[in-house]
Amino acid sequence: MRVTVDRSDPAVHRVRLAPGSDGGIRLDAAGVAALDAAVADAEASDDCRVLVLEGTGDTFCEGMDLQAVVDGAPDAAEHVRAFASLLGRLRRSPRPVVAVVDGKALGGGVGLAAVADLVVVTARATFALPEVILGLLPAVVLPVLHERLGPRRARWLALTSGVDARRAVELGLADHLVEDPAQLERALRPILRHLLRASPEAVAGLKAFGDAVSAHEPDQALRLGADHTAAMVSDPERVAAIRAFLQGEPAPWWRSLRGRNE
């Protein structure tokens, strides 16, 4: 798998998964390392506000490089751990992550989509976990699937032959369905525009705070939320941003899509 990054709009890093030398978009060691580096670059960029993951042609990602397993690659265990680390990095990333699935997602590719904050699919998208028919478990992606779907639905998905785009939205595996792939960019535009209007600090805080409250009982979580909000509404910078919003003015962190009309 090759990884390219389109930075024509510095605020939106569009990371494209492309076929490697074997012609497939598979999670080989080099591809996982390149994707991890692209995510790290986005996180380190002061300009980047949104990270978009997308495939090429009719494929998002075909999952594990099975040929490397058959060939007895000596670093197979390290490779699996590197992919797990990548999923963790995407899950914790302070940048909002949008996955665009226009075609098939298999195995680890399903995990790459599921870990995203927002998943946009076209009508030709499909999701499948073939691990059990190979005598394996989708163990690396199950944690993010549990978050997306819950344990029962994640297990159900692993025991089926897969789902199409419409069913993926019904299950909660995807968030937005674009019937006509030719309209994908038009459908993606308002999603990116909204994310570029969000406070980067608030986005990062939202992702971190979600983990914090999930570790507490509901009553404790409510108190934690109240304390957090009380501190925020006492912050002069946040109060100024709220005032600007009420007066119809843009907040200081708002960005526009480059080359796009608001």
Side-chain angles (χ1 to χ4, degrees):
M1 179 179 79
R2 292 185 302 109
V3 176
T4 62
V5 184
D6 179 356
R7 301 183 184 85
S8 54
D9 183 344
V12 180
H13 284 204
R14 300 190 64 157
V15 181
R16 180 166 287 110
L17 313 180
S21 58
D22 63 354
I25 304 179
R26 302 184 183 93
L27 294 166
D28 53 28
V32 169
L35 182 51
D36 187 78
V39 176
D41 179 66
E43 292 175 346
S45 170
D46 292 332
D47 294 321
C48 180
R49 299 280 293 276
V50 183
L51 180 64
V52 179
L53 301 179
E54 52 196 323
T56 301
D58 62 354
T59 302
F60 176 67
C61 178
E62 298 171 87
M64 183 186 299
D65 182 3
L66 296 177
Q67 189 59 53
V69 175
V70 172
D71 293 342
D75 59 347
E78 292 181 12
H79 169 46
V80 170
R81 292 188 177 93
F83 177 56
S85 177
L86 169 63
L87 289 181
R89 176 170 216 148
L90 285 166
R91 182 182 174 279
R92 296 186 306 272
S93 176
R95 306 289 186 266
V97 179
V98 180
V100 178
V101 183
D102 178 26
K104 61 184 177 181
L106 300 172
V110 176
L112 276 181
V115 79
D117 301 300
L118 295 169
V119 181
V120 180
V121 296
T122 69
R124 64 178 181 174
T126 59
F127 297 84
L129 297 171
E131 282 85 350
V132 294
I133 64 173
L134 300 173
L136 303 172
L137 301 179
V140 176
V141 303
L142 272 180
V144 295
L145 285 175
H146 279 195
E147 281 195 311
R148 263 269 169 188
L149 303 176
R152 183 173 293 277
R153 282 186 168 178
R155 184 168 66 243
W156 175 86
L157 182 62
L159 294 173
T160 68
S161 59
V163 297
D164 61 13
R166 190 170 301 280
R167 183 61 172 143
V169 173
E170 292 172 353
L171 290 169
L173 184 56
D175 306 300
H176 302 274
L177 171 61
V178 180
E179 294 287 356
D180 182 358
Q183 299 299 315
L184 179 59
E185 289 300 318
R186 180 178 295 179
L188 190 59
R189 191 180 309 155
I191 296 171
L192 296 178
R193 186 165 59 235
H194 180 76
L195 291 174
L196 291 175
R197 289 178 173 178
S199 158
E201 184 180 354
V203 170
L206 173 67
K207 298 179 76 168
F209 191 73
D211 282 344
V213 296
S214 65
H216 294 276
E217 294 297 324
D219 285 345
Q220 293 176 312
L222 287 169
R223 287 193 293 271
L224 184 63
D227 291 343
H228 195 77
T229 300
M232 288 190 296
V233 297
S234 300
D235 181 355
E237 290 187 7
R238 288 186 169 89
V239 172
I242 294 170
R243 182 180 299 110
F245 175 80
L246 294 175
Q247 295 173 348
E249 300 173 0
W253 54 74
W254 282 28
R255 295 288 184 274
S256 298
L257 280 170
R258 176 165 290 187
R260 310 282 188 178
N261 293 326
E262 286 293 298

